[in-house]
Amino acid sequence: AQSVTQLDSHVSVSEGTPVLLRCNYSSSYSPSLFWYVQHPNKGLQLLLKYTSAATLVKGINGFEAEFKKSETSFHLTKPSAHMSDAAEYFCVVRGFNDMRFGAGTRLTVKP
Amino acid sequence: DGGITQSPKYLFRKEGQNVTLSCEQNLNHDAMYWYRQDPGQGLRLIYYSQIVNDFQKGDIAEGYSVSREKKESFPLTVTSAQKNPTAFYLCASSKDKGPLSYGYTFGSGTRLTVV
């Protein structure tokens, strides 16, 4: 069965410093992986997706993620955090009929 | 613009009442989904539908019911049998029927509170 584990429930960074949100996956076949962002009381917005093309995936708002099969990881990074990046982030793996969500990582950005 | 519309944004339910959450999409997507979100638990699948007049239970279907009479609409009813309905409910759609490569488009959610 497909699943993802987000290794940190909360990450706090200062504005202008790098962001790293960690995700490990488990999949019985070649996975499709996604990162979504959710601002308070809003729906989820797709940041980026990996579907077996390039292992380094670039998304919106300066985010990117690298697929590492040997480590079964799909970590999300951004070189420089902005205050507007404060939100909840979800790592997601494709199932056969639906998508499987991690528990989420809350990103706090300090001024 | 195409998208998914959920209504209402906030909903209050008294004990023993059934309530229906609306989800409408104009993306011409085949598949639609309902998720429940609780703090610290991510999103859990309630029901999904891949074609009109057909739907499947997800992981936490007990106390919920759905219908899919039109491609555009996938309403969720929270029945009195759902013992802990207070949560944030998200509707999503995808143009995939089977293995998903495109991901979901989400609505903006409905926050349901039992009073």
Side-chain angles (χ1 to χ4, degrees):
Chain A
Q2 283 60 249
S3 67
V4 289
T5 302
Q6 293 184 243
L7 301 176
D8 306 290
S9 60
H10 186 211
V11 170
S12 182
V13 301
S14 298
E15 189 174 21
T17 65
V19 175
L20 170 63
L21 305 182
R22 298 183 297 163
C23 174
N24 287 348
Y25 71 89
S26 173
S27 179
S28 54
Y29 46 79
S30 181
S32 290
L33 294 158
F34 307 79
W35 276 99
Y36 282 83
V37 61
Q38 183 182 34
H39 289 92
N41 291 312
K42 301 289 186 185
L44 279 69
Q45 181 185 18
L46 179 65
L47 278 177
L48 51 80
K49 64 180 179 182
Y50 165 78
T51 55
S52 74
T55 56
L56 183 62
V57 183
K58 294 188 183 298
I60 62 171
N61 301 334
F63 284 95
E64 62 181 37
E66 186 171 8
F67 174 74
K68 292 187 176 180
K69 186 176 180 179
S70 60
E71 299 176 10
T72 62
S73 69
F74 189 58
H75 301 335
L76 182 70
T77 60
K78 183 173 181 178
S80 176
H82 191 272
M83 295 297 291
S84 61
D85 295 328
E88 187 97 15
Y89 291 80
F90 292 95
C91 183
V92 184
V93 65
R94 178 198 75 184
F96 188 76
N97 288 316
D98 72 323
M99 310 260 275
R100 294 283 148 170
F101 289 77
T105 298
R106 179 163 299 279
L107 176 65
T108 301
V109 182
K110 297 176 290 187
Chain B
D1 285 339
I4 297 182
T5 301
Q6 288 187 244
S7 62
K9 189 174 178 66
Y10 298 96
L11 186 58
F12 298 90
R13 192 193 93 168
K14 293 182 180 179
E15 296 281 352
Q17 269 187 341
N18 293 355
V19 292
T20 297
L21 284 60
S22 171
C23 178
E24 304 276 336
Q25 55 101 356
N26 61 3
L27 299 164
N28 199 33
H29 283 177
D30 289 311
M32 297 185 73
Y33 306 81
W34 275 105
Y35 284 87
R36 171 181 170 138
Q37 185 177 22
D38 296 281
Q41 295 193 47
L43 277 68
R44 292 181 291 167
L45 182 66
I46 304 173
Y47 269 99
Y48 67 97
S49 169
Q50 295 179 320
I51 56 173
V52 174
N53 292 324
D54 186 58
F55 47 83
Q56 306 295 327
K57 292 182 179 179
D59 299 321
I60 56 164
E62 184 175 354
Y64 300 97
S65 66
V66 294
S67 63
R68 186 87 186 275
E69 298 176 0
K70 299 185 300 182
K71 187 176 184 178
E72 302 78 19
S73 179
F74 191 41
L76 174 73
T77 296
V78 184
T79 75
S80 57
Q82 171 49 238
K83 297 307 179 188
N84 185 23
T86 294
F88 191 52
Y89 291 86
L90 286 159
C91 180
S93 71
S94 172
K95 58 180 167 178
D96 295 282
K97 287 182 185 178
L100 302 171
S101 295
Y102 296 99
Y104 288 166
T105 300
F106 280 90
S108 57
T110 293
R111 184 163 297 282
L112 173 63
T113 304
V114 174
V115 296

